[in-house]
Amino acid sequence: MPTIATYSLFWLFLMLLAIGNGAVRETTYGQHLSALQAHQVSTATAMIAFGIAVWLLSKWRAPESGAQALTIGGIWLVMTLCFEFLFGHYIAGHSWATLLQDYNLLSGRLWLLLLAWVMFLPYIAYRARLHAG
C-alpha cells in the first residue's frame, strides 16, 4: 500500500484516539475543571497521543520525503476539518457558531494549535527520523 494511503487510513486511528481523549475528559477531569480548562488539557493530551502514535507509525513506514510528509499533513488537516464540521454540525447538531468558537485563540481555545500539530506532525516525525538515523 502506498505511503500516502497508509497515512490516510491511519488518520482514522487518530480520530479514534481523539474520541477516546474526549471521553476521558468528559468522564474524569472534565467534571472537576471549567469547560475551558478541560478543553485546554484535552488539547494537550490529544497532541501528546497523536505525537506518540505518529512517531510509532513513522518507525514502521516513514514518509519518503519532506514534501510527502507535508502532503500527508495537508490531507489530515482537510479530513479533520471535514470531520469536525460535517459530523459536528449534521450529526452532533452543533451550530456553526459553536463549532467556530473553538478557533478563538484569544478566548483561550486551543483547537488551532491541534490543527497545526495535525498538519505538521508527519513532517516533524519525518525530520526526527532523518536525524535519528
Side-chain angles (χ1 to χ4, degrees):
M1 179 182 293
T3 303
I4 289 180
T6 299
Y7 274 78
S8 295
L9 285 174
F10 189 77
W11 176 86
L12 295 171
F13 177 71
L14 294 178
M15 288 307 98
L16 290 176
L17 281 177
I19 291 166
N21 184 54
V24 168
R25 176 190 65 231
E26 294 303 314
T27 60
T28 59
Y29 62 86
Q31 298 174 6
H32 307 288
L33 300 173
S34 72
L36 179 60
Q37 291 170 327
H39 161 78
Q40 292 169 337
V41 170
S42 183
T43 300
T45 57
M47 292 174 76
I48 292 166
F50 286 10
I52 292 168
V54 172
W55 176 257
L56 293 173
L57 174 62
S58 73
K59 287 179 76 169
W60 172 66
R61 175 172 250 161
E64 296 160 13
S65 67
Q68 186 182 63
L70 289 171
T71 298
I72 291 164
I75 291 168
W76 282 359
L77 178 62
V78 169
M79 291 170 72
T80 302
L81 289 169
C82 287
F83 177 81
E84 178 189 4
F85 284 105
L86 296 176
F87 179 86
H89 183 72
Y90 294 107
I91 305 297
H94 299 301
S95 70
W96 296 115
T98 299
L99 292 170
L100 290 172
Q101 176 183 325
D102 277 337
Y103 292 82
N104 188 348
L105 278 173
L106 297 178
S107 70
R109 305 299 288 188
L110 302 178
W111 182 245
L112 283 174
L113 298 178
L114 184 65
L115 292 178
W117 185 241
V118 165
M119 172 68 198
F120 293 107
L121 187 53
Y123 184 76
I124 292 166
Y126 168 76
R127 295 292 297 179
R129 287 271 163 236
L130 280 181
H131 292 297

